[in-house]
Amino acid sequence: MADVAYLPGLPRMLPALLPADDNSSPWRFPQYFADHFSEVMGWLWAHTWLSVVPVIAGLIIALPIGWLASRHKWAYPPMMTVSGLLYTIPSIALFVLVPPLLGLDPLSPLQVPIALTVYSVALLVRVVADGLGSVSEETLQAATAIGYTPVGRFFTVELPIAVPVITAGLRVAVVANVSIVAVAGTIGMVNLGLLFDQGFKLSTDTPYYPPIVLGLLLCVLLALVLDLLVILLGRMLTPWRKAVRS
Amino acid sequence: MIRFDHVTKRYPDGTVAVDGLTLEAPTGRITVFVGPSGCGKTTSLRMVNRMIEPTSGTITIDDRDVTSLPPHELRRTIGYVIQHAGLFPHRTVIDNVATVPFLLGTDKKQARARAAELLERVGLPAHFARRYPAQLSGGQQQRVGVARALAADPPVMLMDEPFSAVDPVVREQLQDQFLQLQEELGKTIVFVTHDIDEAIKLGDQIAVMAVGGHLAQLSSPADLLARPIDAFVAGFVGRDRGYRALGFARGAALPTTPEPTVRFGERVPPGGLEEWTLVVDDTDQPQGWLRSGPSGSPPGSPIDDAALFRGGTLATQGGSLRAALDACLSSPSGRGVVVDGDGRLEGTVHLDAVTDLIASRERAEVTGGADG
C-alpha cells in the first residue's frame, strides 16, 4: 500500500472506482457489454481484421524493400531513416492525408487499412532487412555454390532463416496496429475505437466509464491473442530453433 | 581434369587477384592451392564454379568450358566445401546432405537414403540424421559439409579451407578420413589452404601461389620440400624441410630387435628391471616406458598409469622414416618402438639404424629424384 501514498489523486478517485450503483461506474462494463453485445462483437471483428490484414500486406511490401536494404549496404541507412520517419507521422494525420494523396473519397473505407499498411511497412522493412542480414555469409555462399538460383535461395534458405527475426517484428507491428486502429474509431471508422468515442460522448457532467473500460479490455485482450498467434506461427515455422534450445 | 588456361582476374580498381594462371588438376587427384593471404588461391578456386568470373582466360572441366552451362546447373555438378561448413541451420542434418539431390529433383526418399549412407561414410552415427546443425560440434558440422558436397556424386570437388576452423586434433582426424574417403572415391579435387603442412599431407600435387596471383611452383609434395624453386617458395615451405620431407620417405624395412616387456597392471618383479622397460597391454600394444632403479619404481610397486612415461611416439613398420626417427628421438630409453599395422609391438629400432636408412635414402633421392 506504500505506493498508494505517492499517488495523491488516488484517494479522491477511489470512491469512483469502487462498485457503485450508478450506471457510470467502471465496473458496469459487463452490463454495457451485455446490452450492446452484437454491436460490440461486430466492432471487435472489424478491429481484428484491421489489425491483421495491413500487417500481412505490409510484410509483402516490406519483403522486397528489406531484401534490397540487406543486399546493398548503401541502401540500408537511407531506407531505415525513411521508414523511421514514416512512423513518426501521427496516425490521425495519416488517416486524413491518405485519401487526397491517393485520390480516394475522403470517407473511403480503405484509408485506414492503407495508413496502417504504411506503418507496418515502416516497421517491417528494418525487421526484414535485419532478419535477412542475420543469415551467415557461409550459409549464403554455400547455398549459391551448391546450385541454388537467386530466387530459390531467397525463398528456401534466406527467408526461412530470417523467420525468427521477422516474427519478432510482426509481434510489434500487430500489437501497435491494435492501438492505432482504435484511433481510427474517433474519425468514425467502425471498430473498438467507437467504444471510446461513445464513452466520451456520454461523459457529459460526470465521466461515463463502462464503454471506455470495455474498449480498453477488449483491445488488450485482442493484442494478447494476436501476439500469441504470431508467436505460435513463428514456432511452427522454426522447429529447428526449438531443437537447438533443448 | 580441370584445366586453367591463362586465367586472369583483374578487379575494376586495378588489383590483380590471379595473374595468367595455367595449370591442370588431374582427374582423380587432389591438387592443393597454397599460399599466403592475397595470393589468389580462393579466387582461383571460385572461378571454377563461377562464383567469380575471370577477366580473361578459360577454365575447362573435362574439356568442357565452364561457361557453357548456366552457373546454377554447373554448380550442381561440383561438390563444394567451405570453412565453417556453411550448413543450413533450418534443416536437419540429413536434409542438408540431400540438398543437391533435392535440387536435381531426385525422389525425396531416395535422396535421404543416399544421404544416410553418406553420413555413415563420413563417420557420423545414424542418429545424427534428425539433428539440426547447431546441435553439432564444429568437426561434426564439417563432416556433414563433406557429405553434402558428395551427395550428388559429383566428379569434381572444390574445397576452400575446409578444415581450418577446427582444433588441431579434430583437423587431423578429418584430414585422415578425407584421404581415406578419397582413396575410395577418386574425385578430382581442388583444395585451398594457407597451411603448408596440410598441403603437403593431402596434396598429390601442390600449387604454391605468390602474392599478385601468380603460380610460383607446381610440383609433388616431396619435390616441393626437396627442391623449392626460389627464395619465396623456400621461405613459404618453411623450416624443417629436410625433416618434414622424411614424412614421404619410405625406407627399407626397419631393422627391429626384440624388446623385453612387462604387462600393464602387474607389479615390478622382486629382482628389479632394466632402467627403462617397455610396458604393453594384454594385446601387446605398447603403453609406455617404466623406469626402475634408484630414481624409478622400486620392486613390488604397481605398474600403472602413474608409473608410466608416455612421451615416446610409435613408428609403424612400413610407415615413414619421419615417424621412425621421431620414435627414436622421443623414446626415453633411446630405443624407438615399432609396431605392426594392428598396433602390436614388433620390436625396437636404434637411432643409428634409422639414420643409416635416411642416409641411403638421401643418396637415392639426389640421383634418382623423388617419388610422391
Side-chain angles (χ1 to χ4, degrees):
Chain A
M1 291 308 279
D3 289 341
V4 176
Y6 292 98
L7 300 167
L10 197 61
R12 246 183 319 116
M13 288 164 63
L14 271 176
L17 289 169
L18 289 171
D21 284 340
D22 76 299
N23 284 332
S24 65
S25 156
W27 305 107
R28 280 308 177 100
F29 72 87
Q31 186 66 44
Y32 187 92
F33 194 20
D35 291 347
H36 303 81
F37 186 76
S38 64
E39 191 181 22
V40 173
M41 285 312 279
W43 296 346
L44 175 62
W45 192 235
H47 203 110
T48 308
W49 279 112
L50 276 175
S51 305
V52 173
V53 175
V55 175
I56 295 169
L59 179 62
I60 292 168
I61 297 169
L63 279 176
I65 305 175
W67 176 79
L68 268 179
S70 77
R71 196 66 186 273
H72 303 287
K73 285 200 171 66
W74 54 266
Y76 187 90
M79 282 186 181
M80 294 312 124
T81 309
V82 169
S83 61
L85 283 176
L86 274 180
Y87 213 80
T88 63
I89 304 173
S91 53
I92 197 94
L94 199 56
F95 293 147
V96 177
L97 278 173
V98 163
L101 281 178
L102 297 181
L104 294 170
D105 182 82
L107 281 176
S108 159
L110 279 176
Q111 73 192 78
V112 171
I114 288 173
L116 291 167
T117 303
V118 170
Y119 283 126
S120 298
V121 171
L123 261 176
L124 293 174
V125 162
R126 174 187 291 271
V127 167
V128 169
D130 292 349
L132 294 175
S134 75
V135 183
S136 81
E137 191 49 46
E138 283 92 14
T139 301
L140 291 177
Q141 213 193 89
T144 303
I146 257 174
Y148 274 103
T149 58
V151 175
R153 187 181 89 164
F154 179 79
F155 283 107
T156 56
V157 178
E158 295 177 66
L159 201 52
I161 297 175
V163 161
V165 179
I166 294 177
T167 44
L170 285 178
R171 291 178 60 186
V172 178
V174 166
V175 170
N177 265 7
V178 170
S179 106
I180 301 171
V181 168
V183 177
T186 59
I187 58 164
M189 293 296 144
V190 176
N191 58 59
L192 292 177
L194 288 178
L195 283 168
F196 303 122
D197 195 44
Q198 299 257 312
F200 293 132
K201 280 187 183 141
L202 294 172
S203 301
T204 42
D205 296 334
T206 52
Y208 186 69
Y209 289 116
I212 296 175
V213 174
L214 181 63
L216 266 174
L217 277 176
L218 289 179
C219 279
V220 169
L221 271 177
L222 178 61
L224 283 174
V225 168
L226 292 179
D227 189 38
L228 190 69
L229 286 177
V230 176
I231 293 176
L232 290 177
L233 180 73
R235 292 232 174 119
M236 227 173 62
L237 290 173
T238 57
W240 45 285
R241 295 194 80 217
K242 190 178 168 216
V244 172
R245 272 195 300 267
S246 61
Chain B
M1 179 182 59
I2 304 169
R3 189 203 305 271
F4 289 77
D5 192 8
H6 296 94
V7 175
T8 293
K9 177 65 191 181
R10 186 180 291 107
Y11 285 102
D13 66 357
T15 324
V16 176
V18 177
D19 185 15
L21 180 67
T22 298
L23 68 76
E24 281 176 10
T27 303
R29 294 306 182 100
I30 302 174
T31 298
V32 180
F33 288 177
V34 67
S37 45
C39 71
K41 53 189 191 295
T42 295
T43 307
S44 303
L45 178 93
R46 291 186 176 192
M47 286 191 290
V48 177
N49 67 352
R50 297 181 64 192
M51 301 279 280
I52 297 174
E53 300 285 358
T55 312
S56 63
T58 55
I59 298 172
T60 57
I61 298 175
D62 293 331
D63 296 323
R64 189 159 159 186
D65 194 320
V66 293
T67 56
S68 63
L69 280 176
H72 65 270
E73 279 179 36
L74 170 78
R75 291 171 190 151
R76 290 172 191 177
T77 66
I78 300 176
Y80 192 74
V81 188
I82 52 172
Q83 202 177 353
H84 303 294
L87 299 180
F88 303 128
H90 61 304
R91 295 203 188 132
T92 56
V93 164
I94 194 136
D95 284 357
N96 262 283
V97 175
T99 304
V100 183
F102 286 168
L103 282 175
L104 292 169
T106 311
D107 168 62
K108 287 224 164 186
K109 210 173 154 188
Q110 203 181 325
R112 288 206 177 104
R114 161 99 178 126
E117 196 182 302
L118 274 166
L119 281 177
E120 199 189 316
R121 269 194 120 147
V122 298
L124 283 176
H127 66 267
F128 274 63
R130 309 297 316 160
R131 293 195 185 175
Y132 288 95
Q135 295 169 292
L136 271 54
S137 71
Q140 289 163 342
Q141 290 190 21
Q142 206 49 265
R143 285 168 200 266
V144 178
V146 172
R148 181 174 66 180
L150 288 168
D153 200 19
V156 171
M157 293 245 286
L158 305 177
M159 306 180 81
D160 189 359
E161 308 231 12
F163 307 139
S164 299
V166 292
D167 68 71
V169 177
V170 175
R171 185 183 314 149
E172 196 156 335
Q173 286 171 4
L174 290 172
Q175 289 169 343
D176 291 340
Q177 205 159 26
F178 166 64
L179 283 176
Q180 211 180 327
L181 206 59
Q182 167 65 357
E183 196 127 299
E184 298 163 27
L185 301 175
K187 301 288 182 193
T188 305
I189 295 173
V190 178
F191 190 108
V192 162
T193 180
H194 62 267
D195 176 359
I196 184 70
D197 290 317
E198 184 169 65
I200 287 168
K201 178 173 181 180
L202 301 181
D204 293 308
Q205 168 179 266
I206 299 177
V208 182
M209 298 184 69
V211 176
H214 58 266
L215 180 62
Q217 182 168 2
L218 179 71
S219 60
S220 72
D223 231 15
L224 188 67
L225 289 166
R227 281 180 283 274
I229 204 165
D230 58 20
F232 165 74
V233 177
F236 188 75
V237 172
R239 278 185 281 181
D240 310 326
R241 291 198 291 276
Y243 180 60
R244 279 156 48 199
L246 289 178
F248 300 96
R250 305 274 185 281
L254 295 167
T256 56
T257 49
E259 179 75 26
T261 58
V262 289
R263 285 214 184 279
F264 189 74
E266 291 177 352
R267 285 176 183 277
V268 179
L273 290 163
E274 294 282 309
E275 190 190 0
W276 288 105
T277 309
L278 188 63
V279 178
V280 295
D281 67 4
D282 294 340
T283 58
D284 265 350
Q285 303 204 7
Q287 298 298 301
W289 292 92
L290 180 75
R291 186 172 206 176
S292 302
S295 49
S297 306
S301 64
I303 301 171
D304 57 13
D305 266 323
L308 284 187
F309 284 80
R310 293 183 183 271
T313 58
L314 301 175
T316 308
Q317 184 63 273
S320 73
L321 286 175
R322 178 176 171 169
L325 183 62
D326 196 68
C328 293
L329 295 175
S330 64
S331 166
S333 71
R335 303 186 294 276
V337 181
V338 180
V339 295
D340 64 15
D342 297 325
R344 290 171 209 277
L345 178 67
E346 190 167 307
T348 52
V349 65
H350 273 271
L351 183 59
D352 291 347
V354 177
T355 51
D356 281 351
L357 283 174
I358 292 171
S360 61
R361 158 84 194 178
E362 292 287 292
R363 281 191 297 278
E365 186 155 304
V366 170
T367 52
D371 56 48

